Amino acid sequence: EAQVTQNPRYLITVTGKKLTVTCSQNMNHEYMSWYRQDPGLGLRQIYYSMNVEVTDKGDVPEGYKVSRKEKRNFPLILESPSPNQTSLYFCASSRSPDPGEETQYFGPGTRLLVL
Amino acid sequence: GNSVTQMEGPVTLSEEAFLTINCTYTATGYPSLFWYVQYPGEGLQLLLKATKADDKGSNKGFEATYRKETTSFHLEKGSVQVSDSAVYFCAVNTGNQFYFGTGTSLTVIP
């Protein structure tokens, strides 16, 4: 089954404790992206990647890191989480490096609470 | 900069009513426009898209027309069903980045 998977789905952590949210797609997609969803703000793009070893900042990259060592994986790293990073996070992927031409497929979301 | 302004919700309609959710955008160049739908507890799913001016995207009875002159991409459906209850997001793609609206929650009551 074609899908985007994220782990964990739910996470409670404390300020400053490094964490990684994994994202994996099995569709051989070129483009991958991370978003955060907050009430009243919709989805905002954190980082995106057009291919292996190519990553770029989105609208709200501060406090986050990503890597794209393999085509299928695109982990989101919070080196020192803070309470303002409490949010619902979505990973997405699409076949083409031009995401305007292709459908983005979204993962199920990771709900993060930073105390 | 680039942005999307979407009609505030929540919206509550009776079954078979007509739906319009307004969306306007600010973007440089020739963006692609999208509507995504999010059902409770799930990720977003593409509902429809349009990639150039005057294109009409349609799917599952929903339609939206890319109006460059008014920078709008309003979502419409002639007769909503209870199963259409969800949150709807308008989005713009410029180059490699996406910009989403704040979402409009729709509840359809029998």
PDB file of all heavy atoms in Angstrom, chain A residues 51-75:
ATOM      1  N   ASN A  51      15.224  16.349  -3.371  1.00  0.00           N
ATOM      2  CA  ASN A  51      15.855  15.064  -3.689  1.00  0.00           C
ATOM      3  C   ASN A  51      16.851  14.741  -2.585  1.00  0.00           C
ATOM      4  O   ASN A  51      17.074  15.530  -1.663  1.00  0.00           O
ATOM      5  CB  ASN A  51      16.548  15.139  -5.051  1.00  0.00           C
ATOM      6  CG  ASN A  51      16.543  13.809  -5.769  1.00  0.00           C
ATOM      7  OD1 ASN A  51      16.589  12.746  -5.134  1.00  0.00           O
ATOM      8  ND2 ASN A  51      16.477  13.841  -7.077  1.00  0.00           N
ATOM      9  N   VAL A  52      17.500  13.595  -2.727  1.00  0.00           N
ATOM     10  CA  VAL A  52      18.487  13.171  -1.736  1.00  0.00           C
ATOM     11  C   VAL A  52      19.569  14.239  -1.600  1.00  0.00           C
ATOM     12  O   VAL A  52      20.040  14.783  -2.602  1.00  0.00           O
ATOM     13  CB  VAL A  52      19.102  11.826  -2.142  1.00  0.00           C
ATOM     14  CG1 VAL A  52      20.222  11.437  -1.189  1.00  0.00           C
ATOM     15  CG2 VAL A  52      18.035  10.747  -2.171  1.00  0.00           C
ATOM     16  N   GLU A  53      19.902  14.554  -0.352  1.00  0.00           N
ATOM     17  CA  GLU A  53      20.956  15.511  -0.015  1.00  0.00           C
ATOM     18  C   GLU A  53      20.620  16.953  -0.408  1.00  0.00           C
ATOM     19  O   GLU A  53      21.487  17.823  -0.346  1.00  0.00           O
ATOM     20  CB  GLU A  53      22.299  15.119  -0.645  1.00  0.00           C
ATOM     21  CG  GLU A  53      22.813  13.741  -0.246  1.00  0.00           C
ATOM     22  CD  GLU A  53      23.224  13.631   1.219  1.00  0.00           C
ATOM     23  OE1 GLU A  53      23.077  14.606   1.987  1.00  0.00           O
ATOM     24  OE2 GLU A  53      23.673  12.549   1.618  1.00  0.00           O
ATOM     25  N   VAL A  54      19.355  17.217  -0.770  1.00  0.00           N
ATOM     26  CA  VAL A  54      18.935  18.579  -1.107  1.00  0.00           C
ATOM     27  C   VAL A  54      17.795  18.974  -0.187  1.00  0.00           C
ATOM     28  O   VAL A  54      16.692  18.417  -0.279  1.00  0.00           O
ATOM     29  CB  VAL A  54      18.468  18.679  -2.581  1.00  0.00           C
ATOM     30  CG1 VAL A  54      18.024  20.106  -2.887  1.00  0.00           C
ATOM     31  CG2 VAL A  54      19.566  18.237  -3.521  1.00  0.00           C
ATOM     32  N   THR A  55      18.055  19.918   0.726  1.00  0.00           N
ATOM     33  CA  THR A  55      16.996  20.392   1.626  1.00  0.00           C
ATOM     34  C   THR A  55      16.981  21.910   1.630  1.00  0.00           C
ATOM     35  O   THR A  55      18.024  22.558   1.418  1.00  0.00           O
ATOM     36  CB  THR A  55      17.199  19.887   3.063  1.00  0.00           C
ATOM     37  OG1 THR A  55      18.435  20.409   3.572  1.00  0.00           O
ATOM     38  CG2 THR A  55      17.222  18.366   3.121  1.00  0.00           C
ATOM     39  N   ASP A  56      15.803  22.484   1.866  1.00  0.00           N
ATOM     40  CA  ASP A  56      15.660  23.938   1.899  1.00  0.00           C
ATOM     41  C   ASP A  56      14.672  24.353   2.967  1.00  0.00           C
ATOM     42  O   ASP A  56      13.760  23.586   3.317  1.00  0.00           O
ATOM     43  CB  ASP A  56      15.166  24.464   0.539  1.00  0.00           C
ATOM     44  CG  ASP A  56      16.288  24.584  -0.452  1.00  0.00           C
ATOM     45  OD1 ASP A  56      17.186  25.420  -0.232  1.00  0.00           O
ATOM     46  OD2 ASP A  56      16.268  23.835  -1.436  1.00  0.00           O
ATOM     47  N   LYS A  57      14.860  25.578   3.444  1.00  0.00           N
ATOM     48  CA  LYS A  57      13.976  26.094   4.483  1.00  0.00           C
ATOM     49  C   LYS A  57      12.628  26.492   3.902  1.00  0.00           C
ATOM     50  O   LYS A  57      12.555  27.047   2.805  1.00  0.00           O
ATOM     51  CB  LYS A  57      14.616  27.328   5.138  1.00  0.00           C
ATOM     52  CG  LYS A  57      15.896  27.030   5.886  1.00  0.00           C
ATOM     53  CD  LYS A  57      16.503  28.299   6.442  1.00  0.00           C
ATOM     54  CE  LYS A  57      17.798  27.990   7.174  1.00  0.00           C
ATOM     55  NZ  LYS A  57      18.439  29.209   7.709  1.00  0.00           N
ATOM     56  N   GLY A  58      11.591  26.230   4.698  1.00  0.00           N
ATOM     57  CA  GLY A  58      10.266  26.715   4.369  1.00  0.00           C
ATOM     58  C   GLY A  58      10.004  28.030   5.076  1.00  0.00           C
ATOM     59  O   GLY A  58      10.918  28.822   5.291  1.00  0.00           O
ATOM     60  N   ASP A  59       8.785  28.212   5.503  1.00  0.00           N
ATOM     61  CA  ASP A  59       8.406  29.466   6.153  1.00  0.00           C
ATOM     62  C   ASP A  59       8.831  29.579   7.598  1.00  0.00           C
ATOM     63  O   ASP A  59       9.097  30.677   8.092  1.00  0.00           O
ATOM     64  CB  ASP A  59       6.875  29.594   6.097  1.00  0.00           C
ATOM     65  CG  ASP A  59       6.448  30.736   5.218  1.00  0.00           C
ATOM     66  OD1 ASP A  59       7.304  31.296   4.505  1.00  0.00           O
ATOM     67  OD2 ASP A  59       5.250  31.079   5.268  1.00  0.00           O
ATOM     68  N   VAL A  60       8.886  28.450   8.320  1.00  0.00           N
ATOM     69  CA  VAL A  60       9.139  28.472   9.766  1.00  0.00           C
ATOM     70  C   VAL A  60      10.193  27.450  10.161  1.00  0.00           C
ATOM     71  O   VAL A  60       9.928  26.526  10.930  1.00  0.00           O
ATOM     72  CB  VAL A  60       7.823  28.255  10.561  1.00  0.00           C
ATOM     73  CG1 VAL A  60       6.926  29.460  10.474  1.00  0.00           C
ATOM     74  CG2 VAL A  60       7.102  26.998  10.086  1.00  0.00           C
ATOM     75  N   PRO A  61      11.440  27.597   9.694  1.00  0.00           N
ATOM     76  CA  PRO A  61      12.456  26.579   9.956  1.00  0.00           C
ATOM     77  C   PRO A  61      13.159  26.687  11.313  1.00  0.00           C
ATOM     78  O   PRO A  61      13.851  25.752  11.724  1.00  0.00           O
ATOM     79  CB  PRO A  61      13.473  26.842   8.836  1.00  0.00           C
ATOM     80  CG  PRO A  61      13.369  28.316   8.610  1.00  0.00           C
ATOM     81  CD  PRO A  61      11.915  28.667   8.828  1.00  0.00           C
ATOM     82  N   GLU A  62      12.984  27.807  12.010  1.00  0.00           N
ATOM     83  CA  GLU A  62      13.755  28.036  13.242  1.00  0.00           C
ATOM     84  C   GLU A  62      13.461  26.960  14.280  1.00  0.00           C
ATOM     85  O   GLU A  62      12.309  26.681  14.596  1.00  0.00           O
ATOM     86  CB  GLU A  62      13.434  29.417  13.821  1.00  0.00           C
ATOM     87  CG  GLU A  62      13.843  30.586  12.951  1.00  0.00           C
ATOM     88  CD  GLU A  62      12.891  30.836  11.807  1.00  0.00           C
ATOM     89  OE1 GLU A  62      11.734  30.367  11.879  1.00  0.00           O
ATOM     90  OE2 GLU A  62      13.300  31.480  10.834  1.00  0.00           O
ATOM     91  N   GLY A  63      14.535  26.383  14.824  1.00  0.00           N
ATOM     92  CA  GLY A  63      14.396  25.372  15.867  1.00  0.00           C
ATOM     93  C   GLY A  63      14.291  23.950  15.332  1.00  0.00           C
ATOM     94  O   GLY A  63      14.155  23.008  16.113  1.00  0.00           O
ATOM     95  N   TYR A  64      14.361  23.795  14.030  1.00  0.00           N
ATOM     96  CA  TYR A  64      14.225  22.469  13.407  1.00  0.00           C
ATOM     97  C   TYR A  64      15.422  22.178  12.504  1.00  0.00           C
ATOM     98  O   TYR A  64      16.057  23.086  11.976  1.00  0.00           O
ATOM     99  CB  TYR A  64      12.957  22.395  12.549  1.00  0.00           C
ATOM    100  CG  TYR A  64      11.689  22.712  13.272  1.00  0.00           C
ATOM    101  CD1 TYR A  64      11.167  24.010  13.238  1.00  0.00           C
ATOM    102  CD2 TYR A  64      11.001  21.742  13.978  1.00  0.00           C
ATOM    103  CE1 TYR A  64       9.988  24.317  13.898  1.00  0.00           C
ATOM    104  CE2 TYR A  64       9.820  22.043  14.638  1.00  0.00           C
ATOM    105  CZ  TYR A  64       9.321  23.327  14.596  1.00  0.00           C
ATOM    106  OH  TYR A  64       8.147  23.630  15.252  1.00  0.00           O
ATOM    107  N   LYS A  65      15.693  20.906  12.352  1.00  0.00           N
ATOM    108  CA  LYS A  65      16.666  20.433  11.365  1.00  0.00           C
ATOM    109  C   LYS A  65      16.067  19.247  10.640  1.00  0.00           C
ATOM    110  O   LYS A  65      15.187  18.557  11.179  1.00  0.00           O
ATOM    111  CB  LYS A  65      17.970  19.988  12.061  1.00  0.00           C
ATOM    112  CG  LYS A  65      18.849  21.117  12.536  1.00  0.00           C
ATOM    113  CD  LYS A  65      20.026  20.604  13.329  1.00  0.00           C
ATOM    114  CE  LYS A  65      20.886  19.620  12.595  1.00  0.00           C
ATOM    115  NZ  LYS A  65      22.080  19.208  13.361  1.00  0.00           N
ATOM    116  N   VAL A  66      16.551  19.011   9.436  1.00  0.00           N
ATOM    117  CA  VAL A  66      16.127  17.843   8.669  1.00  0.00           C
ATOM    118  C   VAL A  66      17.347  17.249   7.981  1.00  0.00           C
ATOM    119  O   VAL A  66      18.399  17.883   7.909  1.00  0.00           O
ATOM    120  CB  VAL A  66      15.062  18.186   7.603  1.00  0.00           C
ATOM    121  CG1 VAL A  66      13.751  18.618   8.223  1.00  0.00           C
ATOM    122  CG2 VAL A  66      15.590  19.259   6.647  1.00  0.00           C
ATOM    123  N   SER A  67      17.173  16.034   7.489  1.00  0.00           N
ATOM    124  CA  SER A  67      18.200  15.437   6.641  1.00  0.00           C
ATOM    125  C   SER A  67      17.524  14.558   5.602  1.00  0.00           C
ATOM    126  O   SER A  67      16.406  14.072   5.819  1.00  0.00           O
ATOM    127  CB  SER A  67      19.197  14.622   7.474  1.00  0.00           C
ATOM    128  OG  SER A  67      18.581  13.459   8.001  1.00  0.00           O
ATOM    129  N   ARG A  68      18.206  14.358   4.490  1.00  0.00           N
ATOM    130  CA  ARG A  68      17.662  13.488   3.437  1.00  0.00           C
ATOM    131  C   ARG A  68      18.821  12.652   2.876  1.00  0.00           C
ATOM    132  O   ARG A  68      19.346  12.896   1.796  1.00  0.00           O
ATOM    133  CB  ARG A  68      17.025  14.337   2.336  1.00  0.00           C
ATOM    134  CG  ARG A  68      16.261  13.519   1.282  1.00  0.00           C
ATOM    135  CD  ARG A  68      14.842  13.343   1.605  1.00  0.00           C
ATOM    136  NE  ARG A  68      14.121  12.519   0.669  1.00  0.00           N
ATOM    137  CZ  ARG A  68      13.537  12.975  -0.443  1.00  0.00           C
ATOM    138  NH1 ARG A  68      13.636  14.250  -0.759  1.00  0.00           N
ATOM    139  NH2 ARG A  68      12.881  12.165  -1.212  1.00  0.00           N
ATOM    140  N   LYS A  69      19.179  11.656   3.657  1.00  0.00           N
ATOM    141  CA  LYS A  69      20.286  10.778   3.252  1.00  0.00           C
ATOM    142  C   LYS A  69      19.821   9.685   2.308  1.00  0.00           C
ATOM    143  O   LYS A  69      20.603   9.148   1.506  1.00  0.00           O
ATOM    144  CB  LYS A  69      20.945  10.165   4.484  1.00  0.00           C
ATOM    145  CG  LYS A  69      21.643  11.186   5.387  1.00  0.00           C
ATOM    146  CD  LYS A  69      22.428  10.483   6.470  1.00  0.00           C
ATOM    147  CE  LYS A  69      23.269  11.446   7.289  1.00  0.00           C
ATOM    148  NZ  LYS A  69      22.464  12.414   8.037  1.00  0.00           N
ATOM    149  N   GLU A  70      18.546   9.324   2.439  1.00  0.00           N
ATOM    150  CA  GLU A  70      17.963   8.316   1.548  1.00  0.00           C
ATOM    151  C   GLU A  70      16.681   8.913   0.975  1.00  0.00           C
ATOM    152  O   GLU A  70      16.043   9.750   1.618  1.00  0.00           O
ATOM    153  CB  GLU A  70      17.599   7.053   2.313  1.00  0.00           C
ATOM    154  CG  GLU A  70      18.686   6.461   3.148  1.00  0.00           C
ATOM    155  CD  GLU A  70      18.080   5.502   4.158  1.00  0.00           C
ATOM    156  OE1 GLU A  70      17.574   5.976   5.182  1.00  0.00           O
ATOM    157  OE2 GLU A  70      18.095   4.281   3.907  1.00  0.00           O
ATOM    158  N   LYS A  71      16.311   8.416  -0.173  1.00  0.00           N
ATOM    159  CA  LYS A  71      15.135   8.971  -0.848  1.00  0.00           C
ATOM    160  C   LYS A  71      13.870   8.775  -0.018  1.00  0.00           C
ATOM    161  O   LYS A  71      12.998   9.647   0.008  1.00  0.00           O
ATOM    162  CB  LYS A  71      14.960   8.290  -2.202  1.00  0.00           C
ATOM    163  CG  LYS A  71      14.123   9.078  -3.182  1.00  0.00           C
ATOM    164  CD  LYS A  71      14.207   8.398  -4.535  1.00  0.00           C
ATOM    165  CE  LYS A  71      13.649   9.281  -5.612  1.00  0.00           C
ATOM    166  NZ  LYS A  71      13.735   8.650  -6.945  1.00  0.00           N
ATOM    167  N   ARG A  72      13.720   7.651   0.645  1.00  0.00           N
ATOM    168  CA  ARG A  72      12.475   7.337   1.308  1.00  0.00           C
ATOM    169  C   ARG A  72      12.290   8.007   2.665  1.00  0.00           C
ATOM    170  O   ARG A  72      11.175   8.100   3.156  1.00  0.00           O
ATOM    171  CB  ARG A  72      12.337   5.821   1.469  1.00  0.00           C
ATOM    172  CG  ARG A  72      13.399   5.190   2.322  1.00  0.00           C
ATOM    173  CD  ARG A  72      13.228   3.667   2.360  1.00  0.00           C
ATOM    174  NE  ARG A  72      12.007   3.300   3.059  1.00  0.00           N
ATOM    175  CZ  ARG A  72      11.070   2.504   2.538  1.00  0.00           C
ATOM    176  NH1 ARG A  72      11.212   1.995   1.331  1.00  0.00           N
ATOM    177  NH2 ARG A  72       9.996   2.200   3.220  1.00  0.00           N
ATOM    178  N   ASN A  73      13.366   8.472   3.294  1.00  0.00           N
ATOM    179  CA  ASN A  73      13.275   8.976   4.669  1.00  0.00           C
ATOM    180  C   ASN A  73      13.584  10.462   4.771  1.00  0.00           C
ATOM    181  O   ASN A  73      14.499  10.973   4.102  1.00  0.00           O
ATOM    182  CB  ASN A  73      14.237   8.209   5.582  1.00  0.00           C
ATOM    183  CG  ASN A  73      13.877   6.742   5.680  1.00  0.00           C
ATOM    184  OD1 ASN A  73      12.698   6.386   5.696  1.00  0.00           O
ATOM    185  ND2 ASN A  73      14.889   5.884   5.744  1.00  0.00           N
ATOM    186  N   PHE A  74      12.856  11.129   5.642  1.00  0.00           N
ATOM    187  CA  PHE A  74      13.042  12.572   5.818  1.00  0.00           C
ATOM    188  C   PHE A  74      12.739  12.921   7.279  1.00  0.00           C
ATOM    189  O   PHE A  74      11.687  13.466   7.610  1.00  0.00           O
ATOM    190  CB  PHE A  74      12.098  13.316   4.865  1.00  0.00           C
ATOM    191  CG  PHE A  74      12.353  14.795   4.745  1.00  0.00           C
ATOM    192  CD1 PHE A  74      13.635  15.294   4.580  1.00  0.00           C
ATOM    193  CD2 PHE A  74      11.304  15.702   4.761  1.00  0.00           C
ATOM    194  CE1 PHE A  74      13.868  16.651   4.441  1.00  0.00           C
ATOM    195  CE2 PHE A  74      11.516  17.063   4.621  1.00  0.00           C
ATOM    196  CZ  PHE A  74      12.799  17.533   4.462  1.00  0.00           C
ATOM    197  N   PRO A  75      13.664  12.626   8.188  1.00  0.00           N
ATOM    198  CA  PRO A  75      13.395  12.864   9.609  1.00  0.00           C
ATOM    199  C   PRO A  75      13.424  14.348   9.973  1.00  0.00           C
ATOM    200  O   PRO A  75      14.185  15.139   9.394  1.00  0.00           O
ATOM    201  CB  PRO A  75      14.539  12.110  10.301  1.00  0.00           C
ATOM    202  CG  PRO A  75      15.632  12.052   9.278  1.00  0.00           C
ATOM    203  CD  PRO A  75      14.947  11.970   7.937  1.00  0.00           C
TER     204      PRO A  75
END
